[in-house]
Amino acid sequence: MLEIAIGIILSGCALGAGIAMLAGIGPGIGEGQAVASACEAIGRQPESQSAVTTTMIMGCALAETTGLYALVIAILLIFLAPGRFVNILLEAVKK
């Protein structure tokens, strides 16, 4: 019975890490659209290249933080959380 509980903990952590990494899709799509819009804006008004490029880079950097946070959460769920949850389970079983 304990092995089943540990398996559920491990599968839950893996599933949570996979769901967390779905957050990486949003920044990829958003950054692609931002670059496409910036290229279109520069094509229409080449003299505004520096302003458009600066704004685009700042926006892409902010969007990328979402993906990085998701990556950190996924790494924690894969490497740190299973051990902690199993220890909590074992302590509960001892009582």
Side-chain angles (χ1 to χ4, degrees):
M1 190 62 129
L2 189 62
E3 292 82 17
I4 294 173
I6 292 174
I8 291 172
I9 289 172
L10 295 176
S11 64
C13 288
L15 183 64
I19 291 171
M21 287 313 300
L22 287 177
I25 295 172
I29 293 171
E31 289 173 20
Q33 288 179 345
V35 171
S37 297
C39 289
E40 183 179 338
I42 291 170
R44 290 182 186 204
Q45 292 183 339
E47 65 274 2
S48 67
Q49 178 182 2
S50 64
V52 171
T53 303
T54 303
T55 305
M56 180 200 62
I57 289 173
M58 288 298 295
C60 286
L62 288 173
E64 190 64 30
T65 59
T66 306
L68 292 175
Y69 287 140
L71 178 64
V72 168
I73 295 298
I75 288 172
L76 289 174
L77 281 171
I78 290 173
F79 294 111
L80 186 67
R84 299 269 176 138
F85 289 145
V86 168
N87 287 339
I88 291 170
L89 175 68
L90 293 176
E91 287 177 12
V93 169
K94 287 180 185 178
K95 293 179 181 180

